């Protein structure tokens, strides 16, 4: 008899617990267990560059999932929205667009920590500018004195876009 009473008490406890769990909103029951999710829109947080023996490299860092990217030559660089010309010296320019993406958070505060307009002294890459963060599109411009030969690709963990611009090594340097 004591065994049946214990079994009934355990069964009642299980049913009571199940009933309480069913009355909680789904968000309340999973909120503490859910892993931190990446932002719905990719956030562009930095741009950096470096010189190598046979190429210059531009890297754009992204938080969240890497969005589709386009890299194309343009005749000149202009700021999105205003249409004003970007004051970077150069004869050739590349426009780099990430979309959907943003360089600001939901509150409108900038999350981008890289350069907004900067002259660079590398063999090929002569300047970079953040030219737009508007309506889900983040745009950069890169300036060159000679026509760039480049390749772009995405790397993961952390997410980033890499743009390599080919050049010949300086005299006396051997490229490996």
């Amino acid at each position: 008899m004591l065994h049946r009473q214990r079994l009934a008490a355990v069964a009642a406890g299980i049913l009571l617990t199940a009933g309480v769990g069913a009355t909680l909103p789904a968000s309340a029951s999973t909120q503490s267990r859910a892993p931190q999710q990446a932002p719905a829109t990719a956030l562009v947080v930095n741009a950096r560059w470096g010189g190598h023996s046979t190429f210059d490299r531009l890297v754009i860092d992204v938080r969240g999932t890497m969005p589709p990217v386009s890299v194309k030559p343009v005749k000149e660089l202009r700021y999105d929205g205003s249409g004003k010309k970007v004051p970077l010296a150069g004869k050739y320019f590349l426009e780099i667009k990430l979309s959907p993406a943003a360089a600001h958070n939901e509150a409108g505060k900038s999350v981008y920590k890289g350069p907004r307009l900067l002259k660079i002294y590398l063999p090929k890459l002569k300047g970079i500018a953040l030219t737009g963060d508007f309506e889900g599109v983040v745009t950069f411009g890169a300036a060159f004195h000679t026509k760039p030969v480049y390749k772009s690709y995405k790397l993961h963990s952390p997410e980033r876009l890499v743009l390599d611009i080919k050049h010949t090594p300086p005299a006396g340097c051997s490229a490996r």
Side-chain angles (χ1 to χ4, degrees):
M1 180 88 159
L2 187 59
H3 180 63
R4 284 187 183 169
Q5 287 175 338
R6 282 187 189 163
L7 191 57
V10 169
I14 292 171
L15 289 173
L16 182 60
T17 303
V20 169
T23 62
L24 291 174
S27 62
S29 64
T30 60
Q31 189 171 11
S32 61
R33 292 180 283 175
Q36 182 82 15
Q37 291 184 337
T41 299
L43 296 176
V44 177
V45 295
N46 196 19
R48 51 200 166 92
W49 58 96
H52 300 273
S53 62
T54 59
F55 62 94
D56 295 342
R57 174 169 285 170
L58 174 62
V59 179
I60 298 173
D61 297 315
V62 173
R63 190 180 321 136
T65 303
M66 178 63 74
V69 177
S70 69
V71 180
K72 68 177 186 176
V74 293
K75 291 185 185 274
E76 61 186 2
L77 297 174
R78 298 216 170 251
Y79 287 108
D80 293 350
S82 72
K84 290 182 180 179
K85 190 173 179 180
V86 176
L88 277 178
K91 187 174 178 184
Y92 298 91
F93 304 97
L94 291 177
E95 179 183 76
I96 305 155
K97 283 190 177 192
L98 298 90
S99 178
H104 61 278
N105 62 21
E106 290 179 6
K109 184 179 177 191
S110 179
V111 296
Y112 178 72
K113 304 300 181 201
R116 302 223 173 239
L117 178 67
L118 185 69
K119 190 172 186 176
I120 298 173
Y121 300 94
L122 291 174
K124 288 291 180 178
L125 183 61
K126 299 303 179 185
I128 182 173
L130 175 65
T131 60
D133 176 18
F134 185 67
E135 294 186 351
V137 180
V138 175
T139 311
F140 288 89
F144 308 88
H145 291 314
T146 59
K147 189 173 184 177
V149 175
Y150 63 93
K151 67 178 180 176
S152 65
Y153 49 98
K154 299 174 185 179
L155 294 176
H156 307 284
S157 296
E159 297 294 306
R160 59 210 184 276
L161 169 73
V162 177
L163 181 69
D164 286 341
I165 305 100
K166 183 179 176 182
H167 64 76
T168 55
C173 287
S174 61
R176 292 181 189 215

